[in-house]
Amino acid sequence: MKSGPRFMTADSTESLFRQYYGRLCVYATGILADPNAAEDVVAAVFLNIIANGSKGDVGLAYLYRAVKNGCLKNIRQENTHTKYLGSGMIAVSEDAYDKHIIQTELTVALSALLEELPEGCSRILKMSYVEGLKNAEIAEKLCISIHTVKSQKNRGLSLLRERVSLQYLLTLLLFLKNF
């Protein structure tokens, strides 16, 4: 016997919000190039789920689609569509959106791996690979020697290798580098 449609409860919506808010903001920021507008769009998606009492389970795929549609609506409302098309921020094909979702998920996975490292290693790897700083710049900013930067970077990479296979790590870094 089938029961009627299930509605999202406040608890389940809050759980989704806590679990996916950050990665959805990263995704929306990639489309809008404005972190504040991205947060507004993601918040609006969750408010819409609450207001409309969404039926059934709301999964990550639904949330990504809703955020993408919210971003496009935001762009239309702001009448900046031409500006974003000219700057390449809006991709026309669904393929581009799919790639952006994959990039967001990989970024979240890499961030989680970096957070598991000791603080010094994590900070130096982020400064080097995420911010693109050179060893000398890192050493200057942190008031440490270049030798310390190099050893912390090597230690961090070694710890990452222990946690994931080298092939996965290289694929991840190459994928992120191409975006």
Side-chain angles (χ1 to χ4, degrees), residues 18-173:
R18 289 181 191 279
Q19 186 175 4
Y20 298 124
Y21 178 78
R23 71 178 64 179
L24 292 171
C25 284
V26 169
Y27 175 65
T29 300
I31 296 171
L32 296 173
D34 178 0
N36 294 325
E39 288 179 8
D40 291 344
V41 167
V42 173
V45 166
F46 282 101
L47 288 173
N48 190 36
I49 290 171
I50 293 168
N52 294 330
S54 290
K55 297 177 186 175
D57 292 326
V58 174
L60 187 56
Y62 170 84
L63 292 171
Y64 272 125
R65 177 66 63 178
V67 168
K68 180 189 92 170
N69 290 339
C71 289
L72 295 177
K73 181 178 178 184
N74 179 280
I75 291 167
R76 281 191 299 273
Q77 288 174 345
E78 294 295 322
N79 199 20
T80 56
H81 186 72
T82 308
K83 172 182 150 189
Y84 284 103
L85 275 176
S87 68
M89 290 307 297
I90 292 192
V92 180
S93 72
E94 286 296 314
D95 241 10
Y97 287 111
D98 291 343
K99 286 179 184 175
H100 193 62
I101 289 172
I102 292 168
Q103 179 187 14
T104 300
E105 289 298 313
L106 287 173
T107 302
V108 168
L110 183 59
S111 293
L113 285 171
L114 286 173
E115 292 302 319
E116 292 175 9
L117 296 176
E119 184 181 343
C121 295
S122 177
R123 185 174 353 141
I124 288 172
L125 286 176
K126 286 177 187 176
M127 291 175 85
S128 178
Y129 294 108
V130 176
E131 297 174 26
L133 299 177
K134 295 183 180 349
N135 291 346
E137 294 170 321
I138 296 168
E140 184 179 319
K141 281 190 175 201
L142 298 178
C143 298
I144 58 176
S145 73
I146 292 178
H147 178 72
T148 303
V149 171
K150 289 177 182 178
S151 66
Q152 287 292 316
K153 192 190 283 189
N154 286 333
R155 181 174 175 231
L157 290 173
S158 176
L159 290 169
L160 281 176
R161 277 188 217 104
E162 289 174 10
R163 287 177 170 78
V164 294
S165 74
L166 182 59
Q167 183 179 5
Y168 172 78
L169 185 61
L170 289 174
T171 303
L172 179 65
L173 290 173

